[in-house]
Amino acid sequence: PTKKNSNYRKGIIMIFYFAYGSNLHHLQMKRRCPNCRFIKKIILHNYKLTFRSKYGAADIEKKMGKKVYGALYLISKIAEKKLDVYEEYPILYKKMFFKYGNKKVMTYIMIKKTKLVPPTTRYLNIIKQGYKDCKLNIKSLNDSLSQLKHIPSR
């Protein structure tokens, strides 16, 4: 039986989760959500990756013709509650749901679309490792960062 099926029999409800920022980092995700399972890399169409808030945290916003590269995970509802705390839900982020094939997928997006702020070097390095972990093209991350070139880095 697959992990999903064995968890299902144990009464653990699993959901699909789309990560596009620091949760791409496999080790970090395993620490936060020990039973999570990376499924595959996917693309969210007609959105773009940005960085904002006082933290320079990753966010996505609607933008026709753009793409956000990320990871599809299978997580438990218990893990979702842990992510809610990390993502400062419902204060900083809210949940957004979208369809990927026949799957309902949850992700987090910032509630307030504040001005763009570059990520810290430490946070950016976590995301870069996540891109390697998920075998994502780093060019897409660099394109998102190029929007911030006029803002002093931190």
Side-chain angles (χ1 to χ4, degrees):
T2 65
K3 192 169 191 173
K4 182 180 178 184
N5 291 341
S6 62
N7 282 336
Y8 181 75
R9 280 199 294 275
K10 291 178 202 163
I12 298 171
I13 299 166
M14 305 295 281
I15 66 161
F16 289 101
Y17 164 63
F18 177 70
Y20 55 83
S22 66
N23 288 335
L24 293 169
H25 190 292
H26 286 186
L27 185 59
Q28 179 173 282
M29 260 309 267
K30 280 290 182 198
R31 280 194 204 113
R32 285 191 185 133
C33 310
N35 294 324
C36 75
R37 190 161 53 114
F38 171 73
I39 305 295
K40 64 181 189 173
K41 60 183 181 178
I42 66 170
I43 297 171
L44 179 59
H45 293 275
N46 299 317
Y47 279 83
K48 73 174 186 172
L49 177 66
T50 61
F51 295 87
R52 56 171 43 101
S53 88
K54 63 185 179 189
Y55 310 111
D59 186 26
I60 56 174
E61 62 184 50
K62 273 210 164 290
K63 185 73 175 176
M64 291 305 289
K66 293 289 184 180
K67 299 174 188 172
V68 176
Y69 295 81
L72 183 66
Y73 284 97
L74 194 58
I75 65 170
S76 68
K77 291 297 276 181
I78 295 160
E80 180 185 4
K81 297 285 180 237
K82 287 182 183 175
L83 286 179
D84 287 350
V85 172
Y86 171 74
E87 300 293 349
E88 296 183 42
Y89 167 84
I91 295 149
L92 183 61
Y93 287 90
K94 64 183 178 180
K95 293 179 184 180
M96 178 184 92
F97 295 88
F98 64 92
K99 282 282 206 196
Y100 178 75
N102 62 351
K103 299 168 180 62
K104 180 181 176 184
V105 180
M106 184 277 290
T107 195
Y108 295 94
I109 60 170
M110 283 192 191
I111 295 168
K112 292 186 176 131
K113 300 301 185 190
T114 55
K115 67 181 176 135
L116 299 181
V117 175
T120 62
T121 302
R122 181 183 172 280
Y123 180 69
L124 182 57
N125 286 338
I126 292 168
I127 294 172
K128 284 179 177 177
Q129 182 58 52
Y131 268 67
K132 288 178 189 164
D133 292 349
C134 298
K135 298 179 173 37
L136 297 172
N137 185 343
I138 198 78
K139 183 187 178 314
S140 62
L141 176 60
N142 291 335
D143 289 347
S144 299
L145 293 168
S146 70
Q147 307 168 50
L148 310 173
K149 288 292 184 228
H150 62 288
I151 303 168
S153 61
R154 306 180 304 145

